[in-house]
Amino acid sequence: MNSAGRRTRKDSGSGDNSSRTMRTRQDSTIKDINGVLSVRFLDDADALEKICCISKTAPKMSRVGELLRNSQHLISHRAETPMSVADPDSESEPESPPAQPNAALTELNSAQLEVEDTVRGTAVFGFQRCHRRSHLRRVAEEFAQKSPVKTSAVDIKLPGTPRRGCSGLPASIGSGRRGGRRPVSRTVDDRNRSRSRSRSPPPARSRSRSKSRSRSRSPPPPQRNGRTPSTPKSAAGRTPQTPRGRASAALPTKTPQTVRRKVKLRLSKLKQEDIAVSDDDDDSDVSPLEDSSEDEYKAPLEEEEDDDEESEEEDEEGEEEEQTSTVPPAAVRGRGGAPRRRPELEPAAVSAEDYFSLHSAGGPTSNHTLSRLSEPRLSGAALRALLDARPTDHAAERAALLTDLEIMFPHWLAAVSHGFNILLHGLGSKRDVLERLRRQHLRERLHMVVSGYHPSVTPRQLLLTLLEEALDVPAPPSKLEAQLEAVERRLAAPGAPALFLLVHSIDGPMMRAEKMQYVLARLAQLPRVHLLASADHINSPLVWDQHKLAQFNFLWFDATTLLPYTEETSYENSLLVRQTADLALSSLRHVFKSLTPNARGIFILLAKNQVERASDKTFDGMPLSELYQRCRDAFLVSSQVALRAQLTEFRDHKLIRTRQSHDGVEQLTVPLEAALISEFLASCEDS
Amino acid sequence: MATSSLTKSCFVFKPKSGGSSSAALDSSQYFAGLSDDMGIQSAERRSQTFNSTWQTAEKLCTDFQEEMFNTVFHEMIEYLQGSVDIEEDAGIPTATLITGVNMPDHTGVFRSLAERLRAQVTAHVAVLEAASCTTVQATVRAMVRQLTAAGEPLSPDVPVVDEDDEDDCLLDVPDQTSRQRRAPATMPALVAHYEAAQETVASPKKRSPRKRARTAPQRRPLVVVWRDLEAFQPRVLQDLVLICSQYRSRLPISFVFGVSTCASAVHRLLPQHVSARLSLHKFHSQLATHCLAEMIDKVLLSPSMPFRLGGRALRLLLDIFLYHDFSVNNFISAYKFCMLSHFLWSPASALCCEPGQLEERVEELTGAQVAGLRALPSVRAYLDDLEQEERHTLQHDGVFKEWVLHMAPKLHSKHEELLVGLRCLFALTKRLPGALLGKQFREAYNLALLHALPERDEYKRTFQLLNMLSRQELTATLEHALEAVSGSGSALSTLLRTQLDRVRALDDRPTPVSAEESSQQRRLVADTLKQATSRQSLRESLQSMGAARNARLNPYETLRSALLAELDEHLRGLIVQPSKWPFNECVVFDDVSLVRRRLVGAPRSSVQTALADPAKYLQCTCCQLGDAASIRPTMPDLCIVYKLHLECGRLINLFDWMQAFRAVVGASDDDQTIQARFAHCVAELQFLGFIKSTQRKTDHVARLTWGSC
């Protein structure tokens, strides 16, 4: 029963790939409410109507009410979901079966890449949503004024690319009610097929279709032709003809027009009411104007749409050159799971509602992975080389920003000399700014630079360096509090020098610790310490409470440089950069050199074992008893105590890691990748 | 020497020549560095003036705070002085000081409290801070160290070595051989130290019984101040209280709890069996708003301050105080910054000084500076109003200087006048309903700085309301006003006094209505009643008759309106908006946008603006956006990647994101380069905190912000 219902639903859909996600969602919703009503065998319009009725009686806030509303949106939305949603899957997959990612990549980079990628990019990331939505809003208002006159629906324009399926066309709207949106330029047999489907859905085909919807979809569906980006733009020019074709196609299934009209009006009314109460979805902004559009209002609609198109064309003409492009919200939602909000209310301001919509709409993302690229993760060195080879954009403007800041140096220093501290914020690396300040003005003064972005900076290290190197304290105390007091005493003494403390990224990963900020605040409070710091993280002010802020006594300066954070990000484990183990390997070599021959033997034994069993998935490390046995055989150790002493040393240098297995056996591993270990072993054998 | 290293994060640079580093910072060079050609001549002068002005202000602040603390701590210190005599069974005498939520000010409060305690109650004072007292051991050590260190001056040569080994000291019996080490910081050691100290104190007293020693109690209490009680670990606090109560028989310990929320916090932190060992007394410190009002009155409005805040700047500072931190210290700091900015940026501030020094300053003025002064907006406006000839003579530098010398001292006297007028007006409105000029004098003052007050509705309504007061009320109001301005010795106070006398002297008897008049009136009423053809017209005529009768005032009412008219006229002369004064730019600072940007940081908005619309910062033509949401391929990569990420939900597919990026930037670069650019931008966004890596899906990142701007 259940599955049958779902099948019906699927079949009533157009079979458009792009609305796949939509449909799955709808399926699940419908399934949810299956227990409540039997709408499964109804077609979209009737289902919608029914749901509207029920949702009016059901309490609005209840779960059922919500489900109803959702499904209502889904259905109505699907009805108008444009065919032309540019789906990265459907775009790339026919040419590149998933089995051959490399082939796919070559395809991607082929000659048509420019065009296609623009399309793909717009599909995933609908540019100019605000613009588009405001247009939709405008249309909706127009509609509301002269309802029931239909206006153009979601119009899709992909500048720089041919206009594909004009979903805004009245015909497709009409058909959308019956069986989803069809592309405009479709072959005749395709149209026939859809007609037949909309009349009697054969279950077999639906099954095959649902299969084709899954990842392994090799033959491109026939209607793909209509949606290929290479469809000539003249498709838009054909607009007047298309409706006729569609109308004739839809004719056999038509109920008498008067009845249809009544239903339509009622539907639109229901929808209007629904807009008033539903505030969770922007679908409602779009749906009423499409749902109520009817075939008999074709003529005025066409005119209107033409007007709209013209104005749209004008709007976007300038931007087309820059390849900015737009996409209907549906596409964005379907693919990228973009935040759904009501852009018309306050396009710029962030409202609290955005938060909830972001977290309630778990918009699915595509399953693409970086393995589609020839080299999914560049190495750090390669990345740097590539970036260095490229000329930076806006070099002159960025330099001008820096010079602007240089002019402010005396201001900062004047403020600093009167007991204020400086905090620089703004986009871009501010390392250069502080470095310039240091070189220009602080040459003759005692100063200390702290790299807050460095992963190993600690309060202790900071204070020790300060005491030992800057203040020449021969034997600094070991306790933090005592160190602070020592610094305070030193700097309070008459004749003590003024100390400039330059802190890059005062909100760096290691600087966020309470202790660190406590130390800095204590230091900043001293009259002889002048703090000049930069902050990068957007949430950096959260690090300080009122008390600390007062201690810091910051003056905030906007030091936007727009320079790349090269140094700052070099320590971070970037997502797209391959982790090089050069460091680990070199440290391993250094420690290894200082080991006794026997200890080296033990380590090599352990490492070799691990390399040999690298492919073994169940391998969790070498049990201690086994290692002991082998070491004894190789005359490396004579007793277990001696072995343990060696292992302790290894552990202290982080050469090995021990783990208790589930049966309590100690298991030893070398915490490096097999490839690195074999490289290391090879170098050992060489030497 | 480079400041980037793989292993090192802190770098110290020392000056090559040892001498200059110890020299104090001389800010006058920075003053000069910021100035243009015209300002450079007065840079040094301005720097000096700032220093002296700030010193004046600082002195006023400290005086005021001293005075305030005196009143606040007076009772508490008395209580603590008597605490030694409190019986043991009563528990540890504890003074709970409710300090209020203005945390930044507490440092000063407790420092001053400790000083006072040392001076007036006992040498044994320990101030404990939550940050360094995380365990009982550390707390006892900190407490005992401070209590035993009493009397010994804290010299910079206190050996650092022995602090190192405190742990050992606590655990081991102190080693006889190591002379360096002090006694272990434990309670028994404290008892021993205290008893020894009492003996030494007692013995000289016997020989020379001084007056102070006699009055002082035999035993000096040990006072432990707990700063910010709520921040301590309850466990530590409870244990310490229990330990101390055990030693109560031998050590006269008393506590001071600094509580910033409310007194019940003590009971929340301490269970009954612990708080039973305390005998709590509550003391209130002054409200922060009250402090501020006093501070403004004593410092900002002090006649000895040549520098004044403008209306908008003052409002900003008040807003920061009221809506942000309630911290008087921060207010002072912000005030200092305003003053610094004034002297730093405005060349005219060279004339902002005591009236006595003005002559010298004016003599110093160079031609360029005079031209600068002439170009001041207030001066230009003033000159435009003058006659042609007069204006012409002022074109001459010498004449202009003389004129400056004539006008500039008036700035101070005008401010005084304004204050007197405002104080009078404020006293007049204070009892009127609706708090027309605000409940605090600072509000009225701010209003007067911002607007031309006599033109405002508030002012008009004030006089309307005053015009309705009864005789008693008016007398009281005038008395208040007189009180408010009595110190100034201005014409206003004499005016008020005479007015009061007139009101008091007024013969109270109502003038009898003559019989003729009343009969005439009766006739008039009868006439109107006859004439009335409809109810409507009757009502109208009755109303007009009533109005006519009301218009006839009794002697008090006549006097009242006369007095108020006089007062109004006088006040209008006094209350002049400072921005109307010529040369007000010399003493008034009102660059509110500058101050706001410096004091109220908006790091996030600056980052997001730069990301969303880089043209605002780059000032380039290629990235101008018509629509905030659009993207241009010429924009910096980071901005493009950022804008693309705005369109996503919680999770972002890295591959799709990169394709979108490629689509925007076009195929100008090869794949690898685009990938590298993208990878770098993603790393930067991660560094900035917009995204983070996630395990929820392969090659996805999680978005950390919401909304789309």
Side-chain angles (χ1 to χ4, degrees):
Chain A
M1 189 64 183
N2 209 335
S3 66
R6 231 176 307 163
R7 215 178 301 138
T8 324
R9 203 130 295 287
K10 275 171 198 161
D11 290 331
S12 66
S14 68
D16 181 4
N17 281 334
S18 62
S19 54
R20 189 182 46 181
T21 49
M22 208 66 64
R23 205 161 319 108
T24 11
R25 275 166 59 189
Q26 182 200 12
D27 287 346
S28 59
T29 350
I30 296 295
K31 200 166 66 189
D32 281 340
I33 56 168
N34 254 348
V36 191
L37 51 144
S38 52
V39 290
R40 277 157 291 169
F41 292 106
L42 304 174
D43 68 359
D44 278 357
D46 297 339
L48 185 59
E49 190 185 343
K50 186 119 186 169
I51 290 169
C52 284
C53 295
I54 296 172
S55 68
K56 275 177 93 180
T57 53
K60 278 282 180 262
M61 295 319 291
S62 72
R63 184 170 147 69
V64 174
E66 210 171 87
L67 278 173
L68 287 170
R69 260 204 312 285
N70 282 344
S71 50
Q72 186 182 343
H73 285 313
L74 283 168
I75 297 170
S76 59
H77 191 88
R78 179 167 54 100
E80 70 227 9
T81 301
M83 281 288 288
S84 54
V85 172
D87 184 350
D89 282 354
S90 55
E91 293 295 342
S92 56
E93 269 173 25
E95 299 137 6
S96 55
Q100 305 158 355
N102 281 344
L105 188 82
T106 5
E107 290 279 28
L108 283 175
N109 301 335
S110 64
Q112 51 174 326
L113 185 132
E114 281 174 59
V115 180
E116 278 206 29
D117 276 350
T118 316
V119 173
R120 193 175 299 116
T122 53
V124 183
F125 299 85
F127 306 152
Q128 300 181 313
R129 264 183 9 266
C130 284
H131 178 78
R132 172 137 313 277
R133 291 194 181 184
S134 63
H135 169 72
L136 285 175
R137 179 66 167 195
R138 213 170 56 229
V139 173
E141 273 162 9
E142 266 170 39
F143 164 77
Q145 279 165 14
K146 38 189 159 169
S147 163
V149 173
K150 305 158 292 233
T151 54
S152 80
V154 188
D155 43 352
I156 295 119
K157 205 161 300 134
L158 294 160
T161 54
R163 177 177 303 271
R164 296 164 310 153
C166 290
S167 55
L169 296 182
S172 45
I173 292 158
S175 72
R177 197 176 114 274
R178 288 269 150 216
R181 192 62 45 82
R182 307 300 306 169
V184 182
S185 51
R186 233 186 316 163
T187 49
V188 177
D189 56 0
D190 190 23
R191 215 177 294 149
N192 289 341
R193 198 169 60 111
S194 81
R195 195 193 307 159
S196 68
R197 203 189 304 133
S198 62
R199 247 182 271 158
S200 60
R205 182 178 283 185
S206 92
R207 206 166 291 134
S208 76
R209 288 193 47 71
S210 65
K211 214 185 277 169
S212 80
R213 247 173 253 126
S214 67
R215 304 286 319 158
S216 59
R217 176 180 20 147
S218 42
Q223 71 268 29
R224 282 263 312 115
N225 299 343
R227 309 205 285 106
T228 329
S230 55
T231 314
K233 193 162 183 167
S234 62
R238 283 207 283 140
T239 317
Q241 284 102 45
T242 337
R244 215 173 299 137
R246 283 302 305 144
S248 63
L251 258 174
T253 56
K254 257 191 178 174
T255 31
Q257 226 169 41
T258 44
V259 179
R260 272 167 54 80
R261 205 153 148 198
K262 258 187 215 160
V263 169
K264 280 285 181 183
L265 280 170
R266 224 171 88 218
L267 267 179
S268 70
K269 228 164 106 194
L270 285 171
K271 289 298 292 183
Q272 295 276 36
E273 281 170 18
D274 197 54
I275 294 168
V277 290
S278 78
D279 53 351
D280 58 331
D281 211 328
D282 55 342
D283 290 8
S284 50
D285 294 334
V286 188
S287 37
L289 49 128
E290 289 175 304
D291 249 272
S292 50
S293 38
E294 276 175 71
D295 291 5
E296 56 263 10
Y297 288 103
K298 251 173 275 168
L301 174 62
E302 273 158 29
E303 276 171 29
E304 258 188 62
E305 193 185 51
D306 284 348
D307 289 347
D308 277 346
E309 272 172 22
E310 270 166 33
S311 59
E312 277 264 66
E313 217 92 70
E314 279 160 19
D315 285 349
E316 291 177 7
E317 232 163 7
E319 285 148 18
E320 272 178 32
E321 293 149 28
E322 274 88 34
Q323 295 198 354
T324 49
S325 40
T326 56
V327 96
V332 175
R333 203 176 309 119
R335 281 275 135 226
R340 308 144 111 214
R341 50 189 201 92
R342 310 201 124 209
E344 297 83 2
L345 300 176
E346 276 174 290
V350 177
S351 72
E353 234 169 76
D354 292 345
Y355 175 81
F356 296 105
S357 53
L358 181 71
H359 282 264
S360 58
T365 51
S366 76
N367 289 330
H368 295 157
T369 61
L370 291 173
S371 54
R372 287 162 157 256
L373 298 168
S374 59
E375 193 174 356
R377 282 179 165 79
L378 296 166
S379 72
L383 184 99
R384 235 164 291 136
L386 282 167
L387 288 178
D388 288 344
R390 201 179 156 272
T392 48
D393 53 314
H394 295 100
E397 283 89 351
R398 290 180 204 216
L401 276 175
L402 257 183
T403 3
D404 283 354
L405 287 170
E406 259 175 47
I407 295 169
M408 297 295 281
F409 285 173
H411 186 186
W412 299 354
L413 291 168
V416 149
S417 68
H418 287 291
F420 294 98
N421 294 310
I422 304 291
L423 185 72
L424 308 179
H425 59 90
L427 183 66
S429 171
K430 289 161 282 290
R431 223 176 142 268
D432 262 17
V433 181
L434 286 178
E435 278 292 292
R436 284 192 186 199
L437 174 76
R438 191 172 77 75
R439 293 218 193 87
Q440 289 177 15
H441 291 276
L442 300 181
R443 276 183 172 281
E444 292 306 309
R445 300 201 173 272
L446 178 65
H447 60 280
M448 180 168 160
V449 179
V450 180
S451 313
Y453 47 80
H454 199 281
S456 74
V457 59
T458 58
R460 188 175 302 277
Q461 193 194 358
L462 191 152
L463 284 173
L464 274 180
T465 326
L466 182 60
L467 279 169
E468 280 176 350
E469 295 184 31
L471 301 175
D472 299 318
V473 176
S478 60
K479 285 232 167 56
L480 199 73
E481 200 64 28
Q483 283 172 348
L484 267 175
E485 277 164 24
V487 172
E488 279 168 7
R489 256 202 313 275
R490 272 273 157 175
L491 289 173
L499 172 76
F500 283 84
L501 203 57
L502 303 173
V503 183
H504 300 296
S505 301
I506 198 169
D507 54 350
M510 292 299 288
M511 306 291 276
R512 288 168 207 164
E514 160 74 23
K515 209 81 194 174
M516 190 76 194
Q517 296 297 331
Y518 169 69
V519 167
L520 283 174
R522 281 278 293 269
L523 288 178
Q525 223 182 354
L526 300 176
R528 289 240 170 81
V529 174
H530 306 303
L531 177 72
L532 293 120
S534 66
D536 297 305
H537 200 277
I538 44 169
N539 294 329
S540 55
L542 298 180
V543 177
W544 304 298
D545 55 19
Q546 286 288 0
H547 186 53
K548 287 215 183 63
L549 272 179
Q551 281 179 308
F552 276 121
N553 200 9
F554 277 135
L555 294 181
W556 303 71
F557 283 87
D558 185 348
T560 302
T561 59
L562 287 159
L563 294 174
Y565 290 101
T566 318
E567 181 78 22
E568 287 89 333
T569 52
S570 64
Y571 297 101
E572 205 158 338
N573 296 339
S574 179
L575 302 158
L576 287 165
V577 179
R578 194 172 59 217
Q579 300 308 310
T580 53
D582 295 346
L583 213 64
L585 204 60
S586 76
S587 70
L588 175 60
R589 280 198 193 107
H590 278 99
V591 177
F592 191 76
K593 264 183 204 162
S594 60
L595 291 176
T596 60
N598 274 6
R600 287 185 199 179
I602 298 170
F603 187 76
I604 289 179
L605 207 142
L606 190 64
K608 271 189 179 156
N609 178 57
Q610 190 163 335
V611 173
E612 280 161 18
R613 304 183 60 178
S615 54
D616 185 359
K617 285 255 163 88
T618 58
F619 176 71
D620 275 350
M622 192 172 186
L624 184 66
S625 51
E626 190 188 334
L627 180 69
Y628 176 58
Q629 224 21 272
R630 289 224 212 159
C631 289
R632 257 175 73 118
D633 293 349
F635 298 106
L636 290 172
V637 287
S638 55
S639 70
Q640 198 150 6
V641 179
L643 176 66
R644 278 196 180 276
Q646 289 297 347
L647 292 181
T648 311
E649 192 174 343
F650 291 164
R651 209 173 293 138
D652 289 347
H653 286 106
K654 299 207 168 70
L655 294 186
I656 59 165
R657 193 186 290 154
T658 42
R659 203 182 292 149
Q660 292 265 329
S661 72
H662 51 86
D663 50 354
V665 179
E666 247 185 289
Q667 290 178 320
L668 307 164
T669 46
V670 180
L672 286 173
E673 282 172 41
L676 284 171
I677 299 177
S678 41
E679 194 184 325
F680 166 72
L681 288 175
S683 70
C684 281
E685 275 159 23
D686 290 347
S687 56
Chain B
M1 199 167 141
T3 55
S4 73
S5 153
L6 260 185
T7 50
K8 224 175 145 192
S9 57
C10 305
F11 309 86
V12 169
F13 300 88
K14 286 187 163 184
K16 303 276 188 304
S17 51
S20 68
S21 77
S22 57
L25 275 171
D26 177 22
S27 63
S28 66
Q29 50 169 318
Y30 305 128
F31 273 72
L34 273 181
S35 315
D36 49 3
D37 296 337
M38 201 183 83
I40 209 158
Q41 292 153 338
S42 59
E44 195 163 330
R45 180 58 88 184
R46 282 184 284 136
S47 169
Q48 281 171 6
T49 323
F50 168 70
N51 287 337
S52 64
T53 316
W54 172 242
Q55 268 164 17
T56 319
E58 206 174 19
K59 184 156 184 322
L60 287 170
C61 287
T62 41
D63 287 354
F64 152 71
Q65 278 178 334
E66 282 295 299
E67 203 179 303
M68 186 188 75
F69 290 147
N70 266 340
T71 54
V72 171
F73 295 144
H74 179 70
E75 275 180 43
M76 196 165 82
I77 283 173
E78 267 182 8
Y79 169 74
L80 287 172
Q81 274 169 341
S83 68
V84 181
D85 304 328
I86 294 176
E87 282 179 35
E88 280 170 31
D89 306 340
I92 304 173
T94 305
T96 310
L97 178 64
I98 317 276
T99 48
V101 290
N102 48 339
M103 301 291 290
D105 292 351
H106 291 181
T107 317
V109 171
F110 284 99
R111 197 194 301 124
S112 155
L113 174 65
E115 275 168 20
R116 261 155 232 271
L117 287 174
R118 285 204 183 95
Q120 297 176 23
V121 182
T122 172
H124 308 285
V125 176
V127 182
L128 300 182
E129 289 195 39
S132 52
C133 300
T134 45
T135 59
V136 176
Q137 192 193 26
T139 316
V140 169
R141 188 164 59 220
M143 184 177 88
V144 173
R145 280 269 181 262
Q146 288 186 49
L147 289 177
T148 54
E152 304 161 20
L154 206 72
S155 68
D157 299 326
V158 167
V160 190
V161 198
D162 67 350
E163 287 180 25
D164 261 1
D165 307 321
E166 275 172 11
D167 281 322
D168 314 76
C169 286
L170 275 176
L171 300 174
D172 308 338
V173 182
D175 196 351
Q176 293 297 320
T177 51
S178 61
R179 299 170 293 102
Q180 288 278 317
R181 294 185 176 179
R182 289 186 285 187
T186 57
M187 292 303 281
L190 179 65
V191 173
H193 182 273
Y194 180 74
E195 278 165 3
Q198 281 303 112
E199 274 171 28
T200 53
V201 169
S203 52
K205 198 177 71 182
K206 274 174 199 158
R207 272 175 286 164
S208 60
R210 289 169 58 204
K211 192 184 170 193
R212 187 158 175 271
R214 261 210 311 278
T215 51
Q218 189 87 35
R219 280 153 44 113
R220 296 291 193 82
L222 301 163
V223 180
V224 182
V225 181
W226 301 77
R227 239 196 90 165
D228 196 14
L229 193 76
E230 289 96 326
F232 282 91
Q233 308 259 345
R235 190 82 245 162
V236 172
L237 187 62
Q238 288 161 22
D239 286 351
L240 244 282
V241 170
L242 292 176
I243 290 171
C244 288
S245 74
Q246 291 295 316
Y247 281 90
R248 173 86 180 122
S249 57
R250 279 177 282 172
L251 295 172
I253 291 180
S254 39
F255 287 155
V256 175
F257 285 169
V259 180
S260 51
T261 49
C262 64
S264 65
V266 176
H267 297 286
R268 212 174 47 236
L269 283 164
L270 302 175
Q272 200 270 331
H273 72 99
V274 178
S275 58
R277 313 265 178 133
L278 302 172
S279 104
L280 288 162
H281 272 249
K282 201 160 72 176
F283 298 93
H284 282 278
S285 71
Q286 224 156 5
L287 279 178
T289 44
H290 186 229
C291 287
L292 181 81
E294 293 268 300
M295 227 273 307
I296 290 179
D297 205 42
K298 298 244 165 74
V299 181
L300 267 66
L301 304 183
S302 152
S304 53
M305 284 294 297
F307 166 77
R308 304 287 169 208
L309 276 182
R312 282 173 302 156
L314 180 63
R315 190 171 57 187
L316 173 73
L317 260 54
L318 288 174
D319 283 355
I320 293 176
F321 176 85
L322 290 173
Y323 303 118
H324 195 57
D325 54 11
F326 276 125
S327 162
V328 178
N329 283 0
N330 282 357
F331 185 86
I332 295 174
S333 170
Y335 176 62
K336 183 181 178 183
F337 179 69
C338 291
M339 197 190 282
L340 176 65
S341 311
H342 178 62
F343 286 103
L344 203 56
W345 293 109
S346 159
S349 64
L351 293 183
C352 177
C353 60
E354 302 275 323
Q357 301 165 334
L358 204 61
E359 202 164 338
E360 187 193 346
R361 301 273 168 106
V362 174
E363 280 307 305
E364 274 176 15
L365 291 178
T366 61
Q369 280 174 307
V370 170
L373 282 178
R374 212 176 266 135
L376 291 177
S378 63
V379 178
R380 280 227 304 268
Y382 189 83
L383 287 178
D384 287 346
D385 290 346
L386 287 178
E387 294 293 318
Q388 182 69 39
E389 297 133 44
E390 221 171 328
R391 207 184 312 162
H392 203 72
T393 47
L394 281 176
Q395 291 300 321
H396 188 264
D397 276 6
V399 181
F400 187 79
K401 276 186 185 177
E402 264 173 39
W403 184 61
V404 171
L405 212 51
H406 171 69
M407 295 301 287
K410 281 192 182 171
L411 291 172
H412 301 290
S413 56
K414 274 185 179 167
H415 189 259
E416 285 307 300
E417 282 175 5
L418 170 72
L419 275 186
V420 169
L422 262 182
R423 277 186 215 281
C424 171
L425 184 65
F426 184 67
L428 291 176
T429 49
K430 211 169 181 182
R431 303 195 140 201
L432 297 179
L436 288 168
L437 296 176
K439 287 187 172 142
Q440 304 268 357
F441 179 67
R442 58 163 189 261
E443 295 170 55
Y445 178 66
N446 202 355
L447 202 66
L449 293 185
L450 284 169
H451 312 284
L453 195 56
E455 314 306 323
R456 300 271 296 180
D457 271 355
E458 288 95 334
Y459 185 86
K460 284 169 192 155
R461 260 192 75 64
T462 303
F463 275 90
Q464 276 173 9
L465 286 172
L466 283 173
N467 217 354
M468 292 174 193
L469 290 184
S470 74
R471 188 166 159 185
Q472 262 177 333
E473 286 167 331
L474 186 71
T475 321
T477 312
L478 286 176
E479 272 166 0
H480 276 283
L482 181 61
E483 203 179 315
V485 299
S486 58
S488 64
S490 63
L492 187 63
S493 63
T494 37
L495 174 79
L496 282 170
R497 197 164 290 128
T498 48
Q499 286 193 339
L500 254 177
D501 292 343
R502 278 165 71 191
V503 176
R504 280 183 187 137
L506 179 72
D507 187 8
D508 208 13
R509 281 168 296 144
T511 42
V513 183
S514 65
E516 187 188 339
E517 221 173 308
S518 59
S519 66
Q520 200 179 354
Q521 215 165 37
R522 218 168 288 134
R523 221 177 307 131
L524 197 72
V525 173
D527 283 353
T528 28
L529 281 176
K530 269 178 211 157
Q531 277 168 14
T533 50
S534 71
R535 200 178 283 203
Q536 175 85 19
S537 64
L538 175 66
R539 201 171 120 191
E540 273 168 13
S541 53
L542 281 177
Q543 266 176 354
S544 65
M545 264 168 59
R549 191 191 282 170
N550 275 358
R552 277 201 15 248
L553 301 170
N554 67 24
Y556 164 66
E557 285 165 338
T558 342
L559 177 65
R560 183 177 61 190
S561 43
L563 289 182
L564 289 177
E566 210 177 357
L567 204 56
D568 179 28
E569 194 188 345
H570 203 94
L571 285 179
R572 276 174 193 273
L574 291 177
I575 301 174
V576 181
Q577 201 187 354
S579 58
K580 299 281 191 300
W581 310 338
F583 294 108
N584 73 75
E585 287 89 344
C586 297
V587 293
V588 177
F589 173 78
D590 209 10
D591 189 351
V592 69
S593 62
L594 174 88
V595 181
R596 181 180 290 119
R597 266 179 282 139
R598 297 297 166 255
L599 295 178
V600 189
R604 179 142 182 197
S605 71
S606 71
V607 168
Q608 293 202 330
T609 313
L611 283 171
D613 195 358
K616 282 201 177 131
Y617 281 98
L618 290 171
Q619 303 285 322
C620 59
T621 46
C622 53
C623 304
Q624 298 289 349
L625 297 179
D627 170 22
S630 56
I631 306 178
R632 301 215 159 209
T634 54
M635 294 202 300
D637 290 352
L638 184 59
C639 304
I640 299 175
V641 172
Y642 167 78
K643 290 210 146 190
L644 291 173
H645 115 287
L646 287 181
E647 309 186 346
C648 295
R650 265 174 303 169
L651 291 182
I652 309 172
N653 185 322
L654 278 174
F655 181 81
D656 290 348
W657 194 6
M658 176 154 35
Q659 296 311 317
F661 174 68
R662 187 212 302 275
V664 174
V665 297
S668 58
D669 278 326
D670 62 298
D671 264 9
Q672 290 264 308
T673 314
I674 285 185
Q675 194 183 337
R677 284 163 69 183
F678 179 73
H680 184 66
C681 292
V682 169
E684 286 183 325
L685 277 189
Q686 194 185 358
F687 179 71
L688 288 172
F690 283 101
I691 54 166
K692 66 169 186 181
S693 61
T694 179
Q695 299 293 320
R696 290 176 61 185
K697 210 170 168 188
T698 327
D699 287 334
H700 275 63
V701 289
R703 199 180 149 189
L704 296 177
T705 54
W706 42 275
S708 56
C709 51

